[in-house]
Amino acid sequence: MSITRRRAVKQLLIISGGIVIFPSCVHHEDKTSILLKNLDLNAGHEKLMAEIAATIIPATDTLGAKDVYTHIYTLKMLDDCYEKEKQQAFVKGLNEINTISKKRFKNNFVDCTVPERQDILTDIEAKNGYSKDVQSFYGMMKHLTIQGYMTSKYVGTKLVVYELVPGRFHGSFPIQKNTV
């Protein structure tokens, strides 16, 4: 079987196209679900942030912060809008959360029970001897979680229905005669 020049070029193009496309086909489980330009976080960090957000605004008869993906909102806001120093403090504080959890309850934060998680976050909020990075992390995380939740589509359409113009105009409305 002789290989013609046309066939060799065709096979070379197919192989090079496969090489270009292959990296996008391989799923990296260690990466966050969104592309981050400035933050160096992995899927474990994202899961930890989701559980912290779920502890800040838990699901009840309404959806919680984790259900409306406020942790993704927080990641995007941090990556795009915060200075490098605040980003670094956030990452350091996030990494310390599991250390605090292991010291206190012998588990990672994600593996703790809901009351244990609440206890850790309440203690951090009370500023009971935690590092500046943990305090900074928790402040940013709580602020962005609440902001992300309140501006989510779910809250805007299901919980607090926004009216473009307050009040309605009823041009013809029947008035009942006062009988007193």
Side-chain angles (χ1 to χ4, degrees), residues 13-23:
L13 287 173
I14 290 171
I15 290 171
S16 62
I19 290 172
V20 169
I21 293 173
F22 181 72

Side-chain angles (χ1 to χ4, degrees), residues 41 45-57 65-66 69-75 77-78 82 86 89-91 93-94 97 109 121 124 133-149:
L41 297 174
H45 289 115
E46 184 178 338
K47 185 175 181 182
L48 176 59
M49 288 176 63
E51 295 305 322
I52 293 171
T55 307
I56 293 171
I57 303 176
K66 182 179 176 181
Y69 302 103
T70 59
H71 57 287
I72 302 294
Y73 173 84
T74 301
L75 281 172
M77 289 296 289
L78 280 167
Y82 281 73
K86 288 191 176 189
F90 184 90
V91 172
L94 180 62
I97 291 293
F109 187 86
L121 295 185
I124 292 171
D133 290 331
V134 171
Q135 297 294 326
S136 179
F137 156 76
Y138 182 70
M140 285 187 277
M141 183 71 192
K142 183 175 179 181
H143 170 75
L144 289 171
T145 298
I146 293 169
Q147 183 179 24
Y149 186 76

Side-chain angles (χ1 to χ4, degrees), residues 115-127:
E116 290 172 343
R117 291 178 188 178
Q118 290 171 343
D119 192 38
I120 291 169
L121 295 185
T122 303
D123 204 34
I124 292 171
E125 191 163 356
K127 301 178 181 173

Side-chain angles (χ1 to χ4, degrees), residues 20-67:
V20 169
I21 293 173
F22 181 72
S24 66
C25 296
V26 177
H27 180 65
H28 298 286
E29 289 192 22
D30 199 37
K31 294 289 181 187
T32 56
S33 59
I34 61 170
L35 181 64
L36 301 173
K37 293 180 264 177
N38 302 315
L39 293 172
D40 185 29
L41 297 174
N42 58 34
H45 289 115
E46 184 178 338
K47 185 175 181 182
L48 176 59
M49 288 176 63
E51 295 305 322
I52 293 171
T55 307
I56 293 171
I57 303 176
T60 55
D61 54 338
T62 61
L63 297 179
K66 182 179 176 181
D67 302 322

